[in-house]
């Protein structure tokens, strides 16, 4: 039976022999009567050998004394309950029955031995554990036996024992049975639980009630109290008895809002205060059984006393029987107890518990009166008891106010260390109670139990406590403790899930803003910048899907300590580290908590933390095109991170990086426009489009003013900043997007919509007239297209859609110029202009005038066109040539011999090339020599070269679509285009226009080479030789040295190839 031996609690060993000897001595002392006839009066003499035996066992094995007490009680009780084995079983019983051997060593005993042994060992909890492990009927019978026993010759120890058992029954919890209790339960159930009557006693008296429904445990306890109440004379046991009774009644089904289950726990601070009060009472009360226990054991017991999860609940009948009994006892004892409590300086646990439980019962009685279906007699009992309770508490509850709660922090730390009930709630108080914080015990508790604080709410409370203390404690010792605490907090935080980490970061930002902890905690600031640099440098070197998880974890730690500094550094690295921007954006977007909106009084300052960090760390520090591109891509990912939550919104970005910079002289204008184009492509997440919050009409007007500025583009002062002509197409695209997005739904009312349109129309009226045409989709039917009056001279414009205006710059003969400017506005308007154009092709003079006017208008429009506008205009020329409305005579200045070829498929190509030549002849003439500044020529040449590239592609496509061989025709066309190009190059003023011309000239020669080789006619070699000499002679006359030498090299290679 030694602890840990294979046989379990019924094993026979040296200790069993000692216990056997104790019982034999007891039996000898009781002779001539057997032990089964032991009486209460015999125990002081006959019980000594038994208790001595247990003391000897304890001295041999002190650590197992508690277990031995339990096993001794279990053996004695089993001996009583189990029938004596038949004599025939002596030969085989020890093999089949685990209890047989040890049971045979103990002489037959009765309940007196059991009850007195439990009293002597002071183990009521152990007794109740075994009691409640019995089958229900046996359990009741054994409790009845106890009541019967203590009701006879009642002594103070009997009273104490009975009340202790009652209290332990209410505190008992299922599921905590150890091996001894489990073995005892199994043994009794196995043997059918038939109690032995061979103890010399008569069957116990049964209480009145329904014979078919044996009374429950509450009724047995109530009957027991009735039996012994006359023997309870001292204030302490009276308080104990009343407290037990009141507690039992509070557990009744239907009594109180919690339905008896106490499923609405006390607030944790009140709970801790009560536990602290109990521990203090036990510590100061030398008569308490827990006085000499350590703090941990006291806290555990206090927890048991507070957290009742009862197995027994009084029925309604038992409830009202108990209420009547409590009423009777309060009437009998109340006045005397009140005097005692008022006059007592030292409150004991029993009296404290009585006052506390009566207060709870009083509330429950009020509830019972309001909701219970009570008879008259029941109502009378409840009313009387309610009044008695109020009277008793009114004169005595004041003593509860002076309870010592100084041990609350120590109690809380014990609860945490032992993982007792409500330790989670206790951790919350521990983390936030600033009066406890930063004592050595507090720090030690946190460090040892940090696994319990791996919760976002607890981490935030710890951080708040840390900041609070750090701002008021700056000495060296305090900082050392802060270092330990911040390390423990970070370790708790590190173990959280990413979503929980985001909750913590949100809390940090809400409490301390962007600077976070670093602003208030010096130990966080020290070394943080170095840590930040090293960590982020490592992150940028591990750009991969595998490295993302590690990078996010590292970022989470840095962001916790100083969100603003971390985000700024990430933004900086995203711009300067080539290719790292998307990886860093992915990391940032793992923290949706960073979409924090700051509150401040400055209306011009962005409210988004990330946007502000981008502004302060990056925006005006971008030094190269690559950095601008990475910034734009980084920003785009933050707005559209795929499956993640966007970190910044299009509206925030627009307000921060676009609206303040839409001025022609802003250094950031071009990047701002790129950003605006990007954000307009992001769909809105709600019914109200985000553009509504970004002042859409002033935004449209700003873009219109920028477009208006392009009408003076080549005449702007050189030192004045203005976006490039390449940016004009971006502005036009943005304006088109805005006109699509901005509708009546973007303003609060239809009336305001009309007012806004009228305001915009009024403002745009002062700008170039073409700007208003670009707003047609926005204007709708509210306003007509306003154009120069001269446009009506060459177009059939419907007056319900068009209206004329007189502008000084558009005098007589300017109709074609206005018409061509309309063609540049949009493909739709271009097609309209072509459809409405009126020319009498039967009138030669009108066709000639139109063709000359067209060339002049083309030259006037060309320098101001963006690439997109020029691309829209080129099809106009092609269509007019195809319709033979535009007359472009083809001269033979670069033709040595009349080509006997079918050039009809390439007629438009040749005419277009000549038209460009004639345009440059006009543009380079003395009448226009001062019209364009030097920097404008490069732009004009680039547009020309772009058109030639498109022309070459069209020649190739036409050749491919022709059914007949046309290699000679293509070669002829390429030679003509090449000659026209060199002619243009010769006319251009000195400048940097050679490179684009050279590139296109080489493209032309490459196209010529392909077609020349495709010529399979008998004279193909002769043609190639003649054409080669002709091209070289033309190229020799080019004045531009680099252009001439490079082309001659190309031609010499062509000649060499042709000979082979």
């Amino acid at each position: 039976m030694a602890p840990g031996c294979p046989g379990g609690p019924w094993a026979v060993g040296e200790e069993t022999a000692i216990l056997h000897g104790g019982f034999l001595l007891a039996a000898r002392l009781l002779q001539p009567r057997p032990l089964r006839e032991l009486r209460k009066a015999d125990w002081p003499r006959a019980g000594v050998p038994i208790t001595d035996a247990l003391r000897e066992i304890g001295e041999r094995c002190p650590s197992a004394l508690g277990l031995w007490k339990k096993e001794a009680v279990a053996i004695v009780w089993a001996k009583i309950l189990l029938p004596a084995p038949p004599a025939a079983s002596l030969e085989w019983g020890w093999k089949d029955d685990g209890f047989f051997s040890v049971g045979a060593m103990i002489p037959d005993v009765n309940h007196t031995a059991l009850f007195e042994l439990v009293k002597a060992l002071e183990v009521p909890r152990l007794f109740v554990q075994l009691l409640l492990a019995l089958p229900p009927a046996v359990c009741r019978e054994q409790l009845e036996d106890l009541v019967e026993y203590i009701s006879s010759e009642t002594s103070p120890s009997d009273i104490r024992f009975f009340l202790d058992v009652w209290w332990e029954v209410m505190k008992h919890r299922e599921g905590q049975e150890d091996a001894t209790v489990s073995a005892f339960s199994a043994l009794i159930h196995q043997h059918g639980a038939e109690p032995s009557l061979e103890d010399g006693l008569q069957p116990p008296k049964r209480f009145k009630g329904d014979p078919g429904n044996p009374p429950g445990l509450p009724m047995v306890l109530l009957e027991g109290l009735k039996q012994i109440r006359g023997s309870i004379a001292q204030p302490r046991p009276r308080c104990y008895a009343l407290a037990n009774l009141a507690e039992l009644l509070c557990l009744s089904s239907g009594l109180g809002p919690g339905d008896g289950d106490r499923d609405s726990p006390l607030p944790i601070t009140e709970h801790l205060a009560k536990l602290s009060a109990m521990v203090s009472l036990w510590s100061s009360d030398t008569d308490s059984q827990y006085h000499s226990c350590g703090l941990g054991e006291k806290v555990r017991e206090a927890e048991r006393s507070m957290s009742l999860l009862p197995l027994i609940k009084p029925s309604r009948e038992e409830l009202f029987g108990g209420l009547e009994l409590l009423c009777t006892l309060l009437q009998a004892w109340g006045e005397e107890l009140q005097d005692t409590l008022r006059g007592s300086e030292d409150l004991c646990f029993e009296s404290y518990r009585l006052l506390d439980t009566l207060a709870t019962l009083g509330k429950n009685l009020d509830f019972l009166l309001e909701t219970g279906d009570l008879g008259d007699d029941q109502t009378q009992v409840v009313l009387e008891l309610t009044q008695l309770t109020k009277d008793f508490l009114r004169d005595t509850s004041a003593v509860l106010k002076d309870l010592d709660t100084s041990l609350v922090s120590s109690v809380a730390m014990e609860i945490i260390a032992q993982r007792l009930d409500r330790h989670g709630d206790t951790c919350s108080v521990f983390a936030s109670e600033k009066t406890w914080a930063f004592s050595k015990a507090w720090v030690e508790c946190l460090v040892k139990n940090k696994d319990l604080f791996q919760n976002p709410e607890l981490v935030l409370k710890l951080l708040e406590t840390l900041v609070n203390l750090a701002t008021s404690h700056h000495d060296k010792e305090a900082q050392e403790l802060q270092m330990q605490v911040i390390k423990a907090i970070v370790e708790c935080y590190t173990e959280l899930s990413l979503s929980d980490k985001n909750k913590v970061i949100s809390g940090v930002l809400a409490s301390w803003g962007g600077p976070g902890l670093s602003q208030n905690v010096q130990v966080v600031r020290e070394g943080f910048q170095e840590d930040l640099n090293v960590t982020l440098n490592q992150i940028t070197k591990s750009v991969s899907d595998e490295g993302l998880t590690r990078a996010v974890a590292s970022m989470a730690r840095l962001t916790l300590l100083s969100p603003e500094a971390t985000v700024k550094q990430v933004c900086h690295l995203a711009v300067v580290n080539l290719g790292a921007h998307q990886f860093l954006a992915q990391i940032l977007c793992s923290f949706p908590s960073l979409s924090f909106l700051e509150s401040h009084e400055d209306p011009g300052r962005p409210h988004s933390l990330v946007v502000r960090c981008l502004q302060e760390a990056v925006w005006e520090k971008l030094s190269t095109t690559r950095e601008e591109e990475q910034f734009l891509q980084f920003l785009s990912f933050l707005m559209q991170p795929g499956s993640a939550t966007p970190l910044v919104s299009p509206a925030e970005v627009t307000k921060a990086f676009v609206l303040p910079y839409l001025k022609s002289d802003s250094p950031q204008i071009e990047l701002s426009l790129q950003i605006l184009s990007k954000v307009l492509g992001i769909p809105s997440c709600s019914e109200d489009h985000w553009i509504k919050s970004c002042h859409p009409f002033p935004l449209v007007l700003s873009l219109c003013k920028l477009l208006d500025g392009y009408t003076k583009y080549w005449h702007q002062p050189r030192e004045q900043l203005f976006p490039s002509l390449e940016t004009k197409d971006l502005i036009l695209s943005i304006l088109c997007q805005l006109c699509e997005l901005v509708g009546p739904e973007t303003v609060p009312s239809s009336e305001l919509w009309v007012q806004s349109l009228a305001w915009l129309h009024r403002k745009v009226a002062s700008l170039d007239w073409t700007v208003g045409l670009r707003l047609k989709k926005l204007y709708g039917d509210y306003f007509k297209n306003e154009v120069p009056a001269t446009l009506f001279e060459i177009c059939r414009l419907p007056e319900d859609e068009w209206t004329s205006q007189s502008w000084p710059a558009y005098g007589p003969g300017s109709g074609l110029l206005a018409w061509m400017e309309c063609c540049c506005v949009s493909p739709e308007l271009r097609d309209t202009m072509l459809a409405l154009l009126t020319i009498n092709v039967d009138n030669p003079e009108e066709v000639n005038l139109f063709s000359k006017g067209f060339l002049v208008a083309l030259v006037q429009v060309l320098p101001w066109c963006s690439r997109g506008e020029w691309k829209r205009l080129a099809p106009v020329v092609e269509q007019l040539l195809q319709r033979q409305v535009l007359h472009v005579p083809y001269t033979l200045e670069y033709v040595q011999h009349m080509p006997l070829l079918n050039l009809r498929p390439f007629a438009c190509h040749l005419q277009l090339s000549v038209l460009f030549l004639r345009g440059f002849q006009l543009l380079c003439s003395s009448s226009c020599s001062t019209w364009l500044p030097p920097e404008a020529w490069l732009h004009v040449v680039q547009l020309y070269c772009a058109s030639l590239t498109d022309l070459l592609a069209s020649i190739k496509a036409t050749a491919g679509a022709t059914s007949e061989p046309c290699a000679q025709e293509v070669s002829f066309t390429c030679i003509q285009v090449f000659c026209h190009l060199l002619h243009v190059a010769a006319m251009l003023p000195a400048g940097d226009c050679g490179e684009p011309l050279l590139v296109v000239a080489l493209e032309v020669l490459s196209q010529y080479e392909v077609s020349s080789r495709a010529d399979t006619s008998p004279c193909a070699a002769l043609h190639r030789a003649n054409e080669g000499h002709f091209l070289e002679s033309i190229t020799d006359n080019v004045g531009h040295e680099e252009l001439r030498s490079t082309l001659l090299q190309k031609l010499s290679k062509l000649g060499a190839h042709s000979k082979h």
Side-chain angles (χ1 to χ4, degrees):
M1 185 177 161
C5 68
W10 316 132
V12 175
E14 184 180 350
E15 291 82 0
T16 319
I18 297 172
L19 185 64
H20 176 229
F23 273 97
L24 290 180
L25 286 174
R28 188 178 302 166
L29 290 173
L30 195 61
Q31 287 178 348
R33 286 183 293 113
L35 268 180
R36 66 173 179 271
E37 295 179 10
L38 181 71
R39 292 191 289 266
K40 190 182 294 189
D42 299 326
W43 181 258
R45 181 168 58 90
V48 172
I50 299 173
T51 53
D52 286 346
L54 287 171
R55 190 182 307 109
E56 182 181 347
I57 293 171
E59 290 171 355
R60 287 171 176 260
C61 190
S63 61
L65 179 59
L67 178 61
W68 261 100
K69 288 181 179 179
K70 182 177 291 189
E71 292 183 346
V73 174
I75 291 169
V76 172
W77 207 340
K79 184 70 177 180
I80 295 169
L81 291 175
L82 298 181
S89 68
L90 293 176
E91 294 183 5
W92 50 265
W94 62 274
K95 294 180 181 179
D96 301 332
D97 188 347
F99 183 71
F100 182 85
S101 297
V102 70
M105 296 178 69
I106 304 298
D108 291 338
V109 291
N110 60 8
H111 281 89
T112 301
L114 171 65
F115 297 145
E116 291 298 333
L117 178 62
V118 173
K119 284 165 57 180
L121 296 177
E122 297 180 342
V123 285
R125 181 178 179 184
L126 185 158
F127 177 82
V128 169
Q129 288 176 337
L130 295 171
L131 173 72
L132 296 179
L134 296 170
V138 179
C139 175
R140 280 195 304 274
E141 290 172 359
Q142 295 302 296
L143 189 58
E144 289 167 353
D145 287 339
L146 172 62
V147 169
E148 186 80 16
Y149 180 76
I150 57 106
S151 300
S152 173
E153 303 175 22
T154 306
S155 66
S157 64
D158 289 334
I159 295 170
R160 181 75 193 191
F161 179 42
F162 172 71
L163 295 177
D164 284 344
V165 167
W166 185 336
W167 182 218
E168 288 295 339
V169 165
M170 289 193 290
K171 290 191 291 182
H172 181 77
R173 294 189 184 187
E174 283 187 313
Q176 297 183 350
E177 296 80 6
D178 60 13
T180 302
V181 175
S182 298
F184 175 75
S185 177
L187 179 69
I188 304 305
H189 281 79
Q190 174 189 348
H191 285 274
E194 290 297 330
S196 170
L197 296 180
E198 297 180 10
D199 56 3
L201 299 176
Q202 295 299 318
K205 179 179 113 180
R206 299 300 172 216
F207 306 124
K208 294 177 182 178
D210 181 2
N213 182 21
L217 298 190
M219 186 63 83
V220 178
L221 294 171
L222 292 175
E223 189 62 35
L225 182 55
K226 289 179 184 176
Q227 297 279 351
I228 65 169
R229 62 183 175 181
S231 303
I232 306 176
Q234 297 300 315
R236 188 163 188 153
R238 285 183 172 181
C239 289
Y240 197 177
L242 289 172
N244 277 359
L245 178 54
E247 194 90 61
L248 180 66
L249 297 175
C250 286
L251 300 177
S252 172
S253 298
L255 180 59
D259 197 27
D261 284 346
R262 294 192 172 185
D263 46 8
S264 298
L266 287 173
I268 187 60
T269 50
E270 192 175 336
H271 179 78
L272 290 173
K274 285 193 171 187
L275 292 177
S276 176
M278 292 183 199
V279 172
S280 298
L281 289 171
W282 288 330
S283 300
S284 60
D285 183 3
T286 55
D287 292 332
S288 169
Q289 60 177 316
Y290 302 111
H291 175 73
S292 59
C293 296
L295 178 62
E297 191 173 345
K298 286 176 183 171
V299 172
R300 281 197 302 275
E301 188 56 35
E303 273 274 10
R304 290 185 68 234
S305 302
M306 285 284 294
S307 309
L308 301 184
L309 297 172
L311 295 173
I312 61 166
K313 294 179 184 179
S315 64
R316 192 170 182 85
E317 179 188 354
E318 292 168 335
L319 168 64
F320 283 98
L323 291 175
E324 290 178 5
L325 178 58
L326 181 58
C327 201
T328 302
L329 294 177
L330 277 176
Q331 288 171 336
W333 298 343
E335 189 174 343
E336 184 181 344
L337 285 179
Q338 282 178 303
D339 293 339
T340 304
L341 289 173
R342 279 197 301 266
S344 174
E345 294 182 1
D346 298 322
L347 192 69
C348 67
F349 175 68
E350 288 78 8
S351 52
Y352 161 79
R353 201 174 134 239
L354 171 61
L355 296 174
D356 183 57
T357 308
L358 282 180
T360 303
L361 181 63
K363 296 174 186 176
N364 291 352
L365 291 174
D366 291 338
F367 177 82
L368 185 61
L369 283 171
E370 293 172 10
T371 61
D373 183 15
L374 306 179
D376 292 342
D377 293 341
Q378 292 174 336
T379 303
Q380 183 61 36
V381 170
V382 173
L383 285 172
E384 187 175 355
L385 182 56
T386 300
Q387 190 59 48
L388 283 169
T389 303
K390 288 179 180 177
D391 293 343
F392 187 87
L393 291 174
R394 183 177 58 247
D395 293 333
T396 55
S397 59
V399 298
L400 292 177
K401 296 177 182 178
D402 300 325
L403 286 174
D404 180 11
T405 56
S406 61
L407 293 175
V408 170
S409 61
S410 301
V411 167
M413 291 178 211
E414 279 295 334
I415 291 171
I416 292 169
Q418 298 185 53
R419 287 14 179 209
L420 300 180
D421 284 349
R422 301 193 69 181
H423 65 266
D425 294 338
T426 305
C427 285
S428 180
V429 177
F430 174 90
S432 55
E433 184 51 64
K434 296 171 181 61
T435 57
W436 305 353
F438 287 89
S439 66
K440 289 185 178 180
W442 186 88
V443 174
E444 184 180 345
C445 180
L446 173 62
V447 171
K448 285 184 177 179
N449 301 285
K450 54 180 177 279
D451 58 305
L452 293 181
F453 292 87
Q454 292 168 10
N455 170 287
E457 289 77 19
L458 295 180
V459 170
L460 277 171
K461 287 183 177 182
L462 286 169
L463 290 174
E464 187 176 344
T465 302
L466 170 68
V467 170
N468 186 274
L469 269 293
T471 52
S472 57
H473 294 72
H474 305 288
D475 57 276
K476 184 178 179 182
E477 183 181 1
Q479 291 194 348
E480 288 176 356
L481 288 173
Q482 288 171 29
M483 281 297 295
Q484 293 181 52
V485 171
I486 193 66
K487 181 183 177 185
I489 294 173
V490 169
E491 287 176 5
C492 295
Y493 170 79
T494 302
E495 295 301 319
L496 298 178
S497 66
L498 186 56
S499 63
D500 281 346
K501 286 176 182 172
N502 271 292
K503 290 178 184 176
V504 174
I505 294 170
S506 293
V508 168
L509 290 169
S511 298
W512 304 291
L517 300 176
S518 61
Q519 185 176 26
N520 300 292
V521 185
Q522 184 180 343
V523 295
V524 170
R525 289 195 298 274
E526 292 172 356
F528 176 77
Q529 190 60 46
E530 182 181 357
D531 183 18
L532 177 65
N533 293 337
V534 170
T535 304
L536 288 180
N537 284 335
Q538 290 173 343
I539 287 174
T540 54
K541 291 175 183 176
S542 61
V543 177
S544 66
D545 291 340
E546 295 77 20
L548 181 62
T549 304
R550 291 193 301 273
V552 168
S554 298
M555 262 288 292
R557 178 178 59 82
L558 295 170
T559 307
L560 171 72
L561 301 176
S562 184
E564 182 179 316
T566 304
V567 173
K568 282 184 176 179
Q569 188 70 356
V570 170
C571 294
H572 169 71
L573 291 175
V575 168
V576 300
N577 274 51
L578 181 62
H581 54 282
Q582 183 168 339
F583 185 65
L584 291 171
Q586 278 182 285
I587 296 171
L588 270 190
C589 288
S590 299
F591 300 97
S593 52
L594 292 176
S595 59
F596 172 69
L597 296 179
E598 301 174 313
S599 58
H600 43 69
E601 297 178 358
D602 183 0
R605 196 176 177 203
H607 289 278
S608 165
L609 169 67
V610 175
V611 171
R612 181 171 65 80
C613 290
L614 283 165
Q615 274 197 328
E616 295 175 4
V618 177
W619 177 238
E620 294 184 0
K621 300 174 184 177
L622 300 168
S623 57
T624 65
T625 303
R626 180 176 64 78
E627 287 185 359
E628 289 184 354
E629 288 173 358
Q630 293 216 157
F631 173 78
L632 184 59
Q633 292 173 23
F634 181 65
L635 194 58
S636 299
F637 195 93
L638 295 182
M639 289 187 287
Q640 286 185 296
S643 59
T645 304
L647 210 50
V648 294
S649 70
E652 291 170 340
V653 169
T654 303
K655 290 172 185 176
F657 299 113
V658 177
L659 297 183
Y661 304 98
L662 283 186
K663 303 168 188 171
S664 59
D665 58 350
S666 169
Q668 289 85 15
I669 177 68
E670 298 201 5
L671 182 56
S672 289
L673 288 167
Q674 290 180 53
I675 292 171
L676 180 55
S677 176
K678 189 73 73 174
V679 298
L680 288 174
I682 297 175
S684 181
C685 298
S686 61
E687 291 184 7
D688 282 345
H689 198 280
W690 60 264
I691 197 66
K692 182 177 179 179
S693 65
C694 295
H695 318 292
F697 283 93
L699 177 56
V700 169
L701 180 60
S702 296
L703 294 169
C704 291
K705 287 180 177 178
L706 287 173
L707 287 177
D708 181 67
Y710 281 103
T711 60
K712 310 175 214 40
Y713 186 79
W714 296 117
H715 303 298
Q716 302 271 11
R718 286 193 178 187
E719 65 278 2
Q720 183 174 330
L721 290 171
F722 197 85
S724 66
L725 264 171
E726 286 76 13
T727 307
K728 185 179 181 184
D729 284 328
L730 180 61
I731 296 173
L732 291 172
S733 171
I734 292 170
L735 190 60
C736 183
Q737 284 178 284
L738 275 174
C739 289
E740 292 277 353
L741 292 175
V742 177
E745 67 279 358
T746 57
V747 293
S749 66
S750 57
E751 182 182 355
L752 186 58
W753 170 252
V754 174
Q755 291 174 359
S756 300
L757 282 180
W759 174 85
L760 182 63
H761 184 264
R762 193 167 56 252
K763 293 288 185 181
V764 170
S766 63
L767 306 179
D768 186 73
W769 65 274
T770 57
V771 175
L773 295 180
R774 301 182 189 277
L775 302 178
K776 180 60 182 172
K777 194 164 189 72
L778 187 61
Y779 285 160
D781 296 330
Y782 286 97
F783 302 103
K784 296 180 181 181
N785 293 321
E786 298 176 1
V787 294
T790 53
L791 183 59
F792 281 80
E793 297 172 4
I794 63 167
C795 281
R796 300 185 303 273
L797 299 175
E799 293 186 359
D800 58 335
E801 296 179 25
W802 299 80
T803 183
S804 64
Q805 295 287 342
S806 297
W807 285 296
Y810 291 83
S814 63
L816 263 179
L817 174 62
W819 181 86
M820 201 170 287
E821 287 179 298
C822 285
C823 289
C824 293
V825 170
S826 68
E828 295 79 15
L829 192 54
R830 176 193 65 198
D831 296 342
T832 301
M833 289 294 103
L834 284 168
L836 298 178
L837 182 66
T838 57
I839 298 174
N840 184 3
V841 292
D842 296 329
N843 185 338
E845 185 179 352
E846 188 173 333
V847 173
N848 271 324
L849 283 173
F850 171 77
S851 300
K852 290 177 182 177
F854 186 89
L855 182 62
V856 172
L858 188 66
V859 168
Q860 284 179 285
V861 169
L862 173 61
W864 316 96
C865 281
S866 65
R867 292 195 179 189
E869 290 175 315
W870 182 245
K871 271 189 174 294
R872 283 193 287 278
L873 198 53
V876 172
V877 181
E878 294 170 13
Q879 196 172 137
L880 291 176
L881 287 172
Q882 289 168 355
R883 286 164 54 181
Q884 298 184 10
V885 173
L886 179 62
H887 178 58
V888 181
Y890 195 86
T891 57
L892 302 177
E893 52 201 302
Y894 293 108
V895 180
Q896 288 179 301
H897 310 285
M898 178 62 66
L900 300 177
L901 304 169
N902 178 21
L903 295 175
R904 185 169 296 281
F906 303 98
C908 284
H909 303 98
L910 291 167
Q911 285 181 297
L912 186 57
S913 182
V914 168
L915 181 65
F916 289 149
L917 175 60
R918 300 291 176 253
F920 273 97
Q921 285 175 330
L922 178 59
L923 200 55
C924 297
S925 66
S926 58
S927 60
C928 299
S929 59
T930 58
W931 189 46
L932 287 179
E935 57 270 18
W937 285 103
L938 176 61
H939 174 67
V940 172
V941 168
Q942 286 172 335
L943 294 182
Y944 169 57
C945 291
S947 291
L948 288 187
T949 299
D950 292 340
L951 181 65
L952 288 173
S954 178
I955 291 170
K956 187 176 180 181
T958 302
T962 304
S963 58
E964 298 295 326
C966 58
Q968 291 183 34
E969 285 83 352
V970 172
S971 295
F972 176 83
T973 306
C974 289
I975 289 171
Q976 292 302 298
V977 172
F978 182 77
C979 293
H980 296 157
L981 187 152
L982 293 187
H983 193 151
V984 169
M987 290 187 292
L988 290 172
D992 299 324
C993 301
E995 185 179 347
L997 289 169
L998 175 59
V999 171
V1000 176
L1002 291 172
E1003 286 180 22
V1004 175
L1005 289 178
S1006 296
Q1007 183 91 342
Y1008 162 75
E1009 182 182 10
V1010 171
S1011 61
S1012 176
R1013 287 181 181 176
D1015 184 6
T1016 57
S1017 65
C1019 296
L1022 178 62
H1023 291 157
R1024 281 194 290 271
N1026 290 338
E1027 289 165 357
H1029 289 306
F1030 175 69
L1031 290 172
E1032 286 178 1
S1033 65
I1034 294 294
T1035 307
D1036 270 334
N1037 294 320
V1038 174
H1040 193 288
E1041 176 61 33
E1042 184 182 355
L1043 181 62
R1044 183 178 68 251
S1045 61
T1046 306
L1047 292 177
L1048 286 173
Q1049 283 179 357
K1050 176 72 173 177
L1051 288 169
S1052 66
K1053 289 179 181 178
L1054 290 179
H1057 286 309
S1058 64
K1059 290 176 183 178
H1060 296 293

